[in-house]
Amino acid sequence: KDSADINQLIMNADTAMYTVKASGRNHYKFFDLEMIELIKEKVKIEKKIREALKNDGFVLHYQPQVKVDGLTIYGFEALLRFKDDTLSPAIFIPIAEEAGLIIEVGRWVTKEAISQLYKWKKSHINLKPISVNLSTKQFMDEGYIDYLRITLAEYEIPAEYIEIEITESILLEQTERTIEFLNELKKIGVMIALDDFGTGNSTFDRINI
């Protein structure tokens, strides 16, 4: 019913395979026309991400972090958004990871946050730490630590004003690379925080950083 052409059938099977890989592998799916539309949408969003990186199409929004007891702002969380679109990062971040763009996106976010601290400093505004989220795949960015260190020095911002947020699942993986990466962050002096804590099952008795 999908086609009488062998080449089209092979393309359909390949599309189904791609869909399985994108959803975590180790599974199977039958081809349907919705898959084509989903892939087209992913390609469209990937193109939008590339254009945003090239043409300054991203912006950071700074969500205040408030102490409940005194209702005072003690920091901000950097939230990545498109300048001309309301597309949720819950949609475009996984696509950036899948397309291999998350490292470039992560570096852009880091530099933009540090640049914002510099602007506040120049305007004589009391600095508050800014939290930046890192995904699992950004831990594979071997040049990130040096990039962070150099950017902080370039803008003359103390490391204590950058907080790196990682998910609970990243910490619990405890790969050699994860531990090494976190220890390098500690050496620089940035803060490390857990994001989405409690959404999974934690076993912190075996964690040593």
Side-chain angles (χ1 to χ4, degrees):
K1 67 182 178 63
D2 295 311
S3 180
D5 178 71
I6 185 63
N7 292 320
Q8 184 62 52
L9 287 172
I10 290 173
M11 287 178 63
N12 293 350
D14 194 52
T15 298
M17 182 178 67
Y18 173 85
T19 305
V20 171
K21 287 182 177 180
S23 62
R25 300 173 179 267
N26 204 24
H27 191 49
Y28 71 91
K29 287 184 181 293
F30 292 103
F31 171 81
D32 63 59
L33 290 176
E34 286 185 8
M35 290 180 180
I36 298 291
E37 295 306 314
L38 287 172
I39 290 174
K40 285 181 179 178
E41 184 63 20
K42 280 187 176 182
V43 170
K44 180 181 174 183
I45 294 172
E46 180 183 333
K47 182 180 178 183
K48 187 174 182 63
I49 295 169
R50 292 183 187 277
E51 289 176 348
L53 286 168
K54 185 178 179 181
N55 300 313
D56 193 29
F58 283 124
V59 64
L60 288 186
H61 293 174
Y62 298 95
Q63 178 173 274
Q65 296 172 323
V66 181
K67 289 184 178 179
V68 179
D69 54 356
L71 297 180
T72 56
I73 295 174
Y74 68 89
F76 299 90
E77 181 176 3
L79 305 176
L80 182 65
R81 300 291 186 269
F82 285 109
K83 286 182 177 179
D84 62 352
D85 200 312
T86 58
L87 189 65
S88 168
I91 295 174
F92 71 77
I93 290 296
I95 293 175
E97 291 180 333
E98 192 176 317
L101 295 170
I102 194 63
I103 287 176
E104 190 174 354
V105 170
R107 290 193 181 200
W108 184 91
V109 170
T110 298
K111 185 170 185 177
E112 185 66 19
I114 293 172
S115 173
Q116 183 62 62
L117 286 165
Y118 176 79
K119 292 173 185 175
W120 287 340
K121 183 179 177 182
K122 284 295 183 182
S123 299
H124 304 289
I125 296 174
N126 289 332
L127 297 186
K128 304 288 185 182
I130 294 179
S131 296
V132 174
N133 290 280
L134 287 194
S135 73
T136 306
K137 292 196 175 181
Q138 286 174 270
F139 275 57
M140 299 300 106
D141 181 2
E142 295 183 357
Y144 181 81
I145 299 295
D146 286 337
Y147 180 83
L148 175 60
R149 186 186 293 111
I150 290 169
T151 306
L152 286 168
E154 178 185 349
Y155 287 95
E156 299 180 338
I157 297 298
E160 65 196 68
Y161 289 108
I162 287 292
E163 180 177 79
I164 301 297
E165 284 196 11
I166 62 172
T167 62
E168 184 180 342
S169 59
I170 291 176
L171 185 59
L172 291 175
E173 282 177 9
Q174 277 203 96
T175 64
E176 185 177 333
R177 174 59 185 161
T178 301
I179 301 302
E180 180 185 351
F181 193 94
L182 292 174
N183 281 328
E184 288 297 320
L185 287 175
K186 285 177 63 178
K187 287 178 184 177
I188 292 176
V190 301
M191 294 186 289
I192 301 172
L194 278 182
D195 194 20
D196 297 332
F197 176 72
T199 56
N201 296 319
S202 303
T203 314
F204 284 124
D205 59 315
R206 60 186 178 84
I207 291 176
N208 181 23
I209 298 177

